[in-house]
Amino acid sequence: MADLPVHTIVFEILTRVPAKDVGRSKSVCKQWYALLSTQDFVRIHCSRSLVSSNQRVLLIDDLTCSVHPIIFQSNDYGPSSIVTFPFHHQNNDVSILSHLNGLLCVCLNHTYELLLWNPTTTAFKHLSTPDSHGFYINNLDAIGLYVDADDDYKVLHIKRRSGVLGVYVYSREVDSWRNIPFITRQEYLSPHFNWSAGTFCGGTLYFTVCECWIGVQGDKLSTRSFYRNGSRCFSECKK
């Protein structure tokens, strides 16, 4: 092992080990920490983790959080391992809003605060600020995680307040929020339209919008879907 080049150890061996072992390996030296933190390493590690034997599901129930292996042959879950929340929370308090490469954006339901949380490393970050950024309202807001061209993980937060749309981006690298311009159809600002969580694919963040209402004689559902190219609707996402 000592005779192997560092690049070979990192990209040919460590990309095949579990994420927890990768986290421990970061403490070996500064060079390993830097290489294991690159987006190239994360991308390769995630792609090699896509085999069915490596798939896991994270379940949150009341005060507990558990990770289960997925048994595809029987469409069932395997034995669980408990994950401890590293942040203060209450009963039925944590909701997962979006995820990307093992990183979760969650909401604390009793305070409406947003957090970034890595269940593998237990690292977390509160995103709320005194000027009201980082607070999420269910059925009015939408969240999406993405990685920009500079390998900076970002949170896109769409807010609808009294018919006014605000779109904000949090940068993990600079640890701050900023507003970005966004234009959409006026009807999509109505609370009758529900926005899905964002899905990051091919360098673009996608959302689905669903129009729902309750009829006089029972429930009535009408669904509309549209997709926006990130370079056109969310130009900041490409920077």
Side-chain angles (χ1 to χ4, degrees):
M1 178 73 76
D3 296 330
L4 291 175
V6 171
H7 190 276
T8 300
I9 296 173
V10 170
F11 288 96
E12 297 300 330
I13 298 176
L14 294 181
T15 52
R16 292 177 168 86
V17 304
K20 282 190 175 181
D21 294 326
V22 172
R24 297 187 186 102
S25 299
K26 286 186 175 182
S27 61
V28 172
C29 64
K30 291 183 178 179
Q31 184 183 16
W32 279 37
Y33 181 90
L35 289 172
L36 295 173
S37 301
T38 63
Q39 186 59 28
D40 285 341
F41 177 85
V42 173
R43 189 180 300 111
I44 296 172
H45 187 271
C46 288
S47 66
R48 289 177 173 169
S49 300
L50 292 178
V51 295
S52 59
S53 60
N54 288 333
Q55 298 304 295
R56 301 288 187 273
V57 61
L58 185 143
L59 301 178
I60 297 176
D61 181 19
D62 293 336
L63 288 173
T64 63
C65 178
S66 56
V67 175
H68 305 251
I70 303 175
I71 305 174
F72 290 93
Q73 294 82 355
S74 59
N75 295 320
D76 200 0
Y77 300 144
S80 67
S81 57
I82 300 300
V83 175
T84 302
F85 290 113
F87 43 82
H88 176 72
H89 64 96
Q90 298 181 3
N91 194 25
N92 289 319
D93 192 34
V94 181
S95 297
I96 299 174
L97 304 178
S98 187
H99 62 90
L100 180 65
N101 295 338
L103 187 66
L104 305 181
C105 184
V106 302
C107 175
L108 300 182
N109 298 322
H110 77 289
T111 62
Y112 310 105
E113 291 180 271
L114 292 175
L115 289 83
L116 283 178
W117 174 37
N118 187 327
T120 300
T121 65
T122 72
F124 69 94
K125 170 69 179 179
H126 285 274
L127 303 184
S128 57
T129 65
D131 55 354
S132 298
H133 288 306
F135 291 93
Y136 176 89
I137 298 181
N138 193 31
N139 296 325
L140 289 180
D141 295 3
I143 293 290
L145 288 175
Y146 69 96
V147 180
D148 68 10
D150 297 320
D151 294 339
D152 181 15
Y153 278 78
K154 293 187 174 181
V155 179
L156 181 70
H157 185 186
I158 299 174
K159 294 182 178 182
R160 290 177 295 166
R161 302 289 186 272
S162 302
V164 178
L165 185 76
V167 181
Y168 304 88
V169 171
Y170 172 82
S171 165
R172 194 170 70 161
E173 182 176 339
V174 300
D175 188 24
S176 66
W177 290 92
R178 67 168 174 161
N179 175 255
I180 64 171
F182 175 71
I183 299 175
T184 189
R185 294 172 59 176
Q186 186 65 30
E187 61 182 305
Y188 293 148
L189 305 185
S190 166
H192 294 299
F193 285 85
N194 290 330
W195 290 61
S196 73
T199 299
F200 187 61
C201 180
T204 299
L205 194 58
Y206 296 93
F207 292 85
T208 300
V209 174
C210 172
E211 182 182 12
C212 306
W213 69 89
I214 299 178
V216 176
Q217 297 180 347
D219 293 349
K220 187 177 182 182
L221 178 66
S222 174
T223 302
R224 297 180 183 178
S225 298
F226 74 102
Y227 299 95
R228 300 288 191 177
N229 184 285
S231 62
R232 186 157 54 89
C233 290
F234 298 109
S235 58
E236 197 277 341
C237 294
K238 295 296 184 180
K239 295 179 182 178

